[in-house]
Amino acid sequence: MTALSIVLGVGFVAGTFVLTDTMNKAFSDLFADASSGSDVIVRTEAAFAPSQAGPGGGGGDERNPVPDSVLRTVAATPGVKEAVGSVVGYAQMIDPATGDAIGGLGPPTLGVNWSDTSTVLTLRDGVEPSGPDDVAVDAATASKYLLSVGDTIRILFEGPPREFTISGIAGFGDADNLAGATLAAFDTATAQEVLGKEGQFDQIDVQGDGSVSVPELQSRIQSALPEGVEAVKASDVADEQAKELQDALGFFRTVLLVFAFISLFVGAFIIFNTFSIIVAQRTREMALLRAIGASRRQVMVSVVVEAFITGLVASGLGFLAGIGIAVGLKGLLAAFGIDLPSTTLQLQPRTVVVAFVVGTGVTLVSSIFPARRAARVAPIQAMRESADSPSGSLRRRLIVGLIITGAAVAALLYGLFGNQSNAGALIGLGAAATFVGIAILLPLGSRTLAGAIGAPVRRTGIQGKLGRENAMRNPRRTASTASALMIGVGLVAMVTVLASSLKASIDVAIEKALKADLVLTTSAATPFSPDAAARVRDVDGVSAVSEFRQGGFRVDGSTSFITGIDPATIDQVATLELSPEATTGLDDGKIVVFDDVMKDEGWKIGDTVPAEFATVGKAPLEIGGTFAENSLVGGNYVISLDTYEQYFQQQLDAFVMVKLEPGADVGAVTAAIGATTKEFGNIEVQDQTAFRDQQAGFINQVLGLITALLLMSIGIAVVGIVNTLGLSILERTHELGLLRAVGMSRRQMKRMIRWESVIIAVMGALLGVVIGVFFGWSLQQALANQGVTELVIPFGQLTVYVIIAALVGVVAALRPARRAAKMNVLAAISYE
């Protein structure tokens, strides 16, 4: 059971590395395949890499297209065998069977041009697209949505949707699609038209004739290119794309590893508790060893070596379990709508090393204090009837516990409120140390807590009374067991408080800032074509339609989001609390900045924001005003839609707000808008209540995912309860035999063990809830200036957690209770 806690924790770590390594390999192979038929890539220069553009790229992955005249220049360069232009853009297919949009959350929905010379796109069925009404779709999408050659399919673009006939089913090399992305391929002229790139290409793929080396070919092409256009080796582009993806996946890996180390942290409590109990049970044995000449060092080393072997074996099993956990993590994320690419599972040597080092290291560190306690056993204890282990000074425990807890809380609060660059590390360290500090202090009060929690249990009969006293009799053991569960429940409670506060804050913000009667959005919160807004403007009963677009840019090297709005309609649909100069400033192409940022940066109206955009590089923007309410725009910077179009290639609406005319029939107008936007497939028309519910739904989805990831640590805590009860029963064999001898039935004994387990579990849950509420309050206060203004403590939900913990206690006690009840009475009485 001790090994199991390490197996699960190490498995989570190993599984995370296996999953992310597999994803890296899948993308690297695809990028390598994509560039395998080219020697040089010609493209415009980008101001900064996609990995520097923030979540989702947000404009960092955008480059200006090159004019088709560059294709002619490249093709005429000596040493060039063939030059082919390629186009990529937004193209989202609509499921013919349901009318719903395909994809959109996770991998992108891509439209590309089909090239006769492409070594990447390969036909599986049908023919290549050759006219304005033809499209080839990727094999994975065709298989999943039962699409066949000859079917008609509607596709969404930045402009109006169009219908096409499926001429062919294509693969991406040997894969069925591009790492999970949907793919719609058109002939080049059609692709340029529907993707808004007429007379332009996103890049040019060049193949040499073999007369010169690739570096020489690259140099020749570069010398012929206009300013702002670069020639790059195709292999370098593949490596660059793979590196950018690995950087993006680094954050994803870090998040999963945080949950993995939480599980290991909980496991450390289990190991510490187990070895503490084992040392206590072996007191006489170790005293005899000391009496016949064993040194303290030898006794301590024996315990440490035992822990080392346990950790080593468990780490090996954990590594093997990690392969299955990697598959499970991928399935878990897919269940929450996050589809990840995959290939054959990647088992890197680094993963093996980390698994063994982490698992064995945690086990060794957790066993040191019990080993030192074993070394302090005096030879005289071999002659005692009692085998109680020596206990440390309560005063020292109190002092150490208070110091650690105080320092931990200080680090946590400093990380939250101190505006430190290493805030994440401080918060994580502070939270972990807080749990350690409370675990050190808990034995001082666990007897009282167990007595209070078990008070109602006494009334259930002798079984409840004895179960309560068993939980009270060894405060250290009870506290250590409860501490493991405290961590998992505490983190779940923290996330629950933060999520509830965030939902309440959104409700308040929407109530305060939203003037619109209706909102156009998508179920997955993915952007959609501006053509939808254009059509809604013509619906009877609509007074104003205001579009919102969002992208990423950099300010002084730091990534941020910027929102494009319509200055002419914004006041009709939302309250941003714009300063008097702001509307004029937006009309003049200036930037409007959130009040808090103005104060933090020391800016004033008329100053220049040092902005950078991927498409144009440095583009200083004059501050034309301020705004005080940022809950709807979701960022700290606002520009007009006209200005947004200057700096971003992709023009998709994040959401659209609609104001109705006075006296308009809301139901009738809503139905009319729904009919108008129906062919887009992915657009929902929501009133304010539905919009609030959707935002709450996104938060609930994230909460569900986090809770699911935390269940591993809670599961390990349950293992700890089972382990502790099992060892406790072994330790009390003689006592339990006496109870059976004086008339306690097997059923009564099972109930006694179950009540003890319930008391320990409820204690851990209650402590976890208290700590979780404190952590949640701290996070809410720290995020108050980011829009999380409301503190909500969901007492009902937290009470459910405590009830679930009590049920967990019952389940955890099943095996130990059955084991206790099956004891042979005579053998138990004679046991020493």
Side-chain angles (χ1 to χ4, degrees):
M1 297 296 286
T2 307
L4 182 58
S5 62
I6 293 300
V7 169
L8 294 175
V10 170
F12 204 158
V13 174
T16 296
F17 280 113
V18 170
L19 175 63
T20 52
D21 287 342
T22 301
M23 292 165 58
N24 280 335
K25 182 68 164 56
F27 276 116
S28 296
D29 288 349
L30 286 168
F31 292 141
D33 290 343
S35 62
S36 60
S38 304
D39 296 314
V40 176
I41 302 294
V42 176
R43 62 188 184 183
T44 56
E45 297 175 354
F48 49 86
S51 59
Q52 298 172 310
D61 52 353
E62 292 191 335
R63 295 173 185 264
N64 285 320
V66 296
D68 53 11
S69 58
V70 174
L71 176 61
R72 294 189 292 271
T73 300
V74 172
T77 302
V80 172
K81 176 183 179 181
E82 190 167 31
V84 178
S86 62
V87 181
V88 181
Y90 165 74
Q92 188 168 15
M93 291 177 273
I94 300 295
D95 183 357
T98 64
D100 296 330
I102 295 174
L105 182 63
T109 53
L110 300 177
V112 300
N113 66 313
W114 185 281
S115 170
D116 292 336
T117 60
S118 173
T119 59
V120 179
L121 291 176
T122 55
L123 276 172
R124 304 283 180 83
D125 189 19
V127 297
E128 64 189 49
S130 58
D133 298 322
D134 289 347
V135 65
V137 302
D138 64 277
T141 301
S143 174
K144 184 175 181 179
Y145 293 93
L146 304 179
L147 305 178
S148 304
V149 173
D151 288 351
T152 299
I153 189 167
R154 191 176 343 123
I155 302 179
L156 309 178
F157 305 101
E158 288 185 27
R162 281 180 50 173
E163 291 192 346
F164 296 85
T165 299
I166 297 177
S167 65
I169 307 297
F172 195 86
D174 294 330
D176 287 343
N177 65 8
L178 176 59
T182 64
L183 208 66
F186 314 89
D187 66 43
T188 298
T190 304
Q192 288 177 313
E193 176 192 352
V194 298
L195 301 178
K197 307 282 177 69
E198 291 183 278
Q200 299 174 317
F201 296 103
D202 288 296
Q203 69 178 40
I204 298 170
D205 300 284
V206 183
Q207 186 178 14
D209 60 11
S211 61
V212 295
S213 65
V214 173
E216 174 61 23
L217 179 63
Q218 176 191 2
S219 177
R220 287 184 182 183
I221 294 173
Q222 184 64 64
S223 63
L225 295 175
E227 185 179 355
V229 181
E230 63 181 4
V232 186
K233 287 191 292 185
S235 59
D236 289 346
V237 172
D239 292 342
E240 172 192 300
Q241 291 171 329
K243 174 64 167 59
E244 289 166 355
L245 182 77
Q246 288 169 7
D247 291 342
L249 288 178
F251 174 77
F252 173 71
R253 173 182 288 173
T254 300
V255 170
L256 288 180
L257 284 176
V258 166
F259 290 99
F261 281 106
I262 288 171
S263 297
L264 280 170
F265 186 55
V266 173
F269 280 84
I270 309 304
I271 299 163
F272 174 83
N273 206 22
T274 299
F275 278 93
S276 295
I277 297 172
I278 289 173
V279 167
Q281 291 176 352
R282 295 180 187 166
T283 299
R284 294 186 65 186
E285 172 189 327
M286 291 175 179
L288 282 170
L289 289 173
R290 294 279 284 115
I292 62 174
S295 67
R296 288 188 174 187
R297 179 185 180 87
Q298 287 175 316
V299 171
M300 180 174 178
V301 168
S302 72
V303 177
V304 171
V305 168
E306 181 179 351
F308 175 78
I309 294 172
T310 302
L312 196 65
V313 174
S315 297
L317 295 173
F319 171 74
L320 297 176
I323 299 172
I325 290 176
V327 176
L329 284 172
K330 188 174 185 297
L332 173 65
L333 294 169
F336 284 88
I338 304 173
D339 291 320
L340 302 175
S342 63
T343 180
T344 55
L345 290 176
Q346 300 298 302
L347 304 178
Q348 302 289 342
R350 178 255 292 121
T351 305
V352 180
V353 172
V354 169
F356 278 92
V357 169
V358 169
T360 307
V362 168
T363 309
L364 281 175
V365 170
S366 302
S367 69
I368 287 175
F369 283 105
R372 290 183 62 192
R373 190 178 302 155
R376 291 200 299 267
V377 173
I380 194 67
Q381 289 183 263
M383 304 176 191
R384 295 179 181 172
E385 290 294 326
S386 172
D388 291 339
S389 62
S391 59
S393 166
L394 292 180
R395 178 181 295 179
R396 183 172 61 189
R397 177 179 288 271
L398 176 63
I399 293 172
V400 172
L402 288 175
I403 290 173
I404 292 177
T405 304
V409 172
L412 176 68
L413 297 178
Y414 187 56
L416 288 170
F417 300 100
N419 295 321
Q420 299 298 304
S421 58
N422 60 340
L426 273 174
I427 293 169
L429 181 62
T434 299
F435 284 121
V436 171
I438 291 175
I440 293 173
L441 292 172
L442 188 54
L444 302 175
S446 63
R447 182 180 179 87
T448 303
L449 280 173
I453 294 170
V457 174
R458 295 182 60 186
R459 300 173 186 172
T460 63
I462 189 66
Q463 310 98 300
K465 181 179 180 180
L466 289 174
R468 174 175 177 265
E469 291 180 358
N470 285 338
M472 294 170 61
R473 74 157 72 175
N474 194 323
R476 283 182 174 81
R477 179 189 302 162
T478 299
S480 183
T481 308
S483 294
L485 188 58
M486 170 186 73
I487 297 169
V489 174
L491 294 173
V492 171
M494 175 195 71
V495 173
T496 302
V497 170
L498 183 61
S500 299
S501 300
L502 184 56
K503 285 188 283 188
S505 300
I506 289 174
D507 283 348
V508 170
I510 290 175
E511 176 120 16
K512 176 182 177 183
L514 186 61
K515 296 180 183 177
D517 298 298
L518 301 173
V519 180
L520 270 61
T521 182
T522 64
S523 58
T526 51
F528 53 90
S529 170
D531 193 58
R535 298 189 185 191
V536 172
R537 288 188 178 93
D538 296 330
V539 173
D540 290 339
V542 171
S543 172
V545 176
S546 196
E547 300 168 66
F548 291 75
R549 296 174 195 166
Q550 294 177 325
F553 78 132
R554 294 203 302 179
V555 180
D556 275 337
S558 297
T559 302
S560 189
F561 280 99
I562 194 166
T563 303
I565 64 172
D566 181 0
T569 58
I570 188 65
D571 285 337
Q572 299 178 59
V573 298
T575 301
L576 301 187
E577 298 184 20
L578 295 164
S579 65
E581 314 89 350
T583 302
T584 303
L586 288 169
D587 287 334
D588 294 338
K590 299 176 183 179
I591 191 170
V592 175
V593 182
F594 186 48
D595 279 344
D596 289 353
V597 175
M598 293 285 284
K599 294 173 186 175
D600 292 342
E601 298 290 341
W603 291 334
K604 59 183 182 297
I605 294 176
D607 288 349
T608 300
V609 174
E612 288 181 87
F613 297 89
T615 54
V616 299
K618 293 183 179 179
L621 293 173
E622 182 182 341
I623 299 174
T626 65
F627 65 103
E629 176 55 59
N630 70 344
S631 56
L632 288 180
V633 296
N636 297 324
Y637 302 93
V638 168
I639 53 178
S640 69
L641 290 176
D642 291 338
T643 307
Y644 189 93
E645 289 175 1
Q646 295 178 34
Y647 298 117
F648 292 94
Q649 277 292 312
Q650 191 175 78
Q651 300 296 318
L652 295 173
D653 290 338
F655 53 92
V656 175
M657 294 186 181
V658 181
K659 185 69 175 177
L660 305 186
E661 294 176 351
D665 185 330
V666 177
V669 176
T670 301
I673 293 175
T676 300
T677 59
K678 183 178 180 180
E679 70 172 306
F680 290 89
N682 61 344
I683 294 178
E684 297 180 355
V685 185
Q686 301 174 331
D687 58 19
Q688 291 192 10
T689 300
F691 184 60
R692 277 196 204 96
D693 291 343
Q694 184 192 51
Q695 304 309 306
F698 294 145
I699 296 170
N700 288 336
Q701 188 175 29
V702 174
L703 172 63
L705 178 58
I706 292 174
T707 302
L709 292 171
L710 285 172
L711 284 178
M712 181 73 79
S713 63
I714 295 175
I716 293 174
V718 174
V719 170
I721 296 174
V722 176
N723 203 19
T724 300
L725 287 175
L727 289 169
S728 175
I729 287 167
L730 181 63
E731 185 180 37
R732 300 192 309 237
T733 299
H734 186 73
E735 170 192 323
L736 296 175
L738 285 173
L739 288 173
R740 291 279 285 118
V742 298
M744 178 175 275
S745 67
R746 289 185 174 182
R747 176 175 292 181
Q748 286 175 317
M749 183 159 289
K750 288 180 180 179
R751 287 178 180 174
M752 179 185 73
I753 302 297
R754 282 200 295 266
W755 279 125
E756 180 181 354
S757 177
V758 167
I759 290 169
I760 293 173
V762 170
M763 180 191 297
L766 287 174
L767 289 168
V769 166
V770 171
I771 296 173
V773 169
F774 169 71
F775 285 172
W777 168 82
S778 300
L779 285 170
Q780 182 272 322
Q781 292 295 308
L783 296 173
N785 61 351
Q786 302 297 318
V788 189
T789 56
E790 307 300 311
L791 175 65
V792 176
I793 301 175
F795 291 102
Q797 203 166 347
L798 297 178
T799 301
V800 170
Y801 293 160
V802 176
I803 294 172
I804 292 174
L807 296 175
V808 164
V810 173
V811 173
L814 291 178
R815 182 172 176 270
R818 191 181 304 115
R819 184 177 176 185
K822 286 182 178 180
M823 283 183 180
N824 180 287
V825 177
L826 293 178
I829 291 173
S830 61
Y831 177 85
E832 289 188 17

